[in-house]
Each structure stands twice: as structure tokens, then as C-alpha cells.
Amino acid sequence: MSIVLQGSTSGSVTLQEPAVAGTTVLTLPATSGTILTTASTIAGTQGASLVLLSSATASSSATVDFTSIATSGYSAWRIILTDVSPATDGVSLYMRFSTSSTFQTANYWYTSRVYGTDGGASGDSSGSAAFINLTGLAMDNSTVANKYGGELVIPNPASTTTNKIVTQQAAYQLNGGVYVFSAGAGSYTGGQGALDGLRFYMSTGNISTGNFYVYGVKNA
């Protein structure tokens, strides 16, 4: 037996459950050839390409940690940060990677370019350190309305043959009041193990406020 839903230029087709109690199962015939038998093979039915894997909200937090983040089936992580501000004036926002359930504390490189409003406070920041510096220049504290907001992308976090990198673009207010746009990148060169976590923290003091969202970008 087969059910055929004919197309039409107008009207609609409705599948309505029986008006009786119990469980109703609609079974598609298993067949071969050009007829699709699973929804996963139909383009556009796999859902959005971005999947929220984890999120956190900072409130006077020493660190914001993500552990055991899923990597299978994802070509990248995209991390969205909103309303991030330090409890202490004149500090920078740092991040670290976790491999083998351990936050790594050495072998990072980072670089960023900062463009200030009205041509002020522009400059480069780079170095080799125990962290990746996301802001480059020091931030103003949480009393200002313009807080750090940005997006980070980490390609291929599941790879075991490449060093892990992150790219970032963000905007925030500097210590002293100048509003800036920042673009940069960082890397971990201490090994090629798959990533399983992320840590965010300030160079000094706590993260006063902030929202952190980790999304997985589905493989094609």
C-alpha cells in the first residue's frame, strides 16, 4: 500500500490523528532507488547549522569554564560573548583551551589589532604567554554601559593533527573611555590533542558580568 499526496496550486493537505486513545505510528515503507527513506537525507531537514552546545552567565566570577564540549559532527565552535565587563578597572580578558580535561597554562600565541574611535588608542598587541589575550588593551570596568561583545571561531576542535587556533572580532571600551574595535587571533602550540573545554577570565580580578554561548557548526 502507498499513500500519495498530490500537489496542487491551492488548498492544503492535513494529516490528523485518530480521535481514539492510544499510540499512533506512521511507518514509511523501506524501499530502495530514488525514494528517500530517512529524513536525514533530505536537504534542509537536519535543522539549523548552528547548535547551542553550552552557555554560562558570569556574576562576579573568577572564571567562566566550559568542560566536555561536544566536538563530534562539528567543523568549528563559534562562541558569542555579550555584556562582558571586569570587576577591576584596566584589565584584559583572557582565554585558555582544555585538552584531555586539563586547562593548558603555557604555549599560547596571540595577536590583535585595536582601532579606537576618532583615531585614538589604536595599536597592536601580540605575544607568547600562558593565555590568549582577547582584548589586547585594557578594558574599563563594569560601571560603563559599553561592555565587551564579540564572536570567536575555533576551527576543527576535534582534530588531533593540528595546532588549535581561534579568531576573534569584538568591540569594547578601553580604560579611559575610548570605544574600540578589536580583531585578532591566537593559537595553542603545546600539542595537537582535541579540545574539550574553554576557560575565560580577567588578567586581574573577577568577571563582573557577561553572557557566554558556545555553538557547534555542523559538518556539511
Side-chain angles (χ1 to χ4, degrees):
M1 183 189 74
S2 64
I3 299 175
V4 178
L5 302 180
Q6 297 286 1
S8 177
T9 57
S10 63
S12 62
V13 176
T14 301
L15 297 179
Q16 187 171 356
E17 71 277 10
V20 295
T23 300
T24 301
V25 178
L26 176 63
T27 303
L28 296 178
T31 186
S32 59
T34 58
I35 299 177
L36 300 177
T37 59
T38 61
S40 63
T41 61
I42 304 175
T45 62
Q46 298 186 51
S49 60
L50 290 181
V51 177
L52 181 62
L53 303 178
S54 190
S55 64
T57 299
S59 179
S60 298
S61 306
T63 65
V64 172
D65 294 347
F66 294 95
T67 59
S68 302
I69 307 174
T71 58
S72 178
Y74 301 108
S75 59
W77 289 341
R78 292 179 67 180
I79 304 97
I80 307 298
L81 287 71
T82 67
D83 298 328
V84 179
S85 62
T88 304
D89 200 15
V91 299
S92 297
L93 178 62
Y94 293 166
M95 75 174 298
R96 284 174 170 161
F97 294 152
S98 172
T99 62
S100 301
S101 301
T102 301
F103 289 110
Q104 303 302 319
T105 59
N107 300 304
Y108 293 98
W109 291 85
Y110 67 89
T111 183
S112 63
R113 175 68 178 174
V114 175
Y115 302 88
T117 53
D118 301 323
S122 297
D124 296 311
S125 177
S126 61
S128 172
F131 49 80
I132 294 172
N133 188 337
L134 294 177
T135 52
L137 304 179
M139 298 173 64
D140 207 338
N141 65 17
S142 58
T143 60
V144 300
N146 295 318
K147 302 172 183 179
Y148 180 100
E151 179 181 27
L152 314 177
V153 178
I154 300 174
N156 202 7
S159 172
T160 58
T161 59
T162 60
N163 292 332
K164 303 304 178 292
I165 63 173
V166 58
T167 61
Q168 66 95 10
Q169 57 181 1
Y172 58 95
Q173 191 158 3
L174 291 178
N175 181 36
V178 176
Y179 202 59
V180 299
F181 170 76
S182 175
S187 66
Y188 172 67
T189 59
Q192 289 78 48
L195 296 185
D196 52 32
L198 301 169
R199 167 169 286 177
F200 297 91
Y201 65 104
M202 295 295 176
S203 55
T204 301
N206 290 341
I207 303 175
S208 177
T209 63
N211 303 301
F212 301 77
Y213 306 93
V214 181
Y215 292 88
V217 180
K218 284 185 177 180
N219 293 335

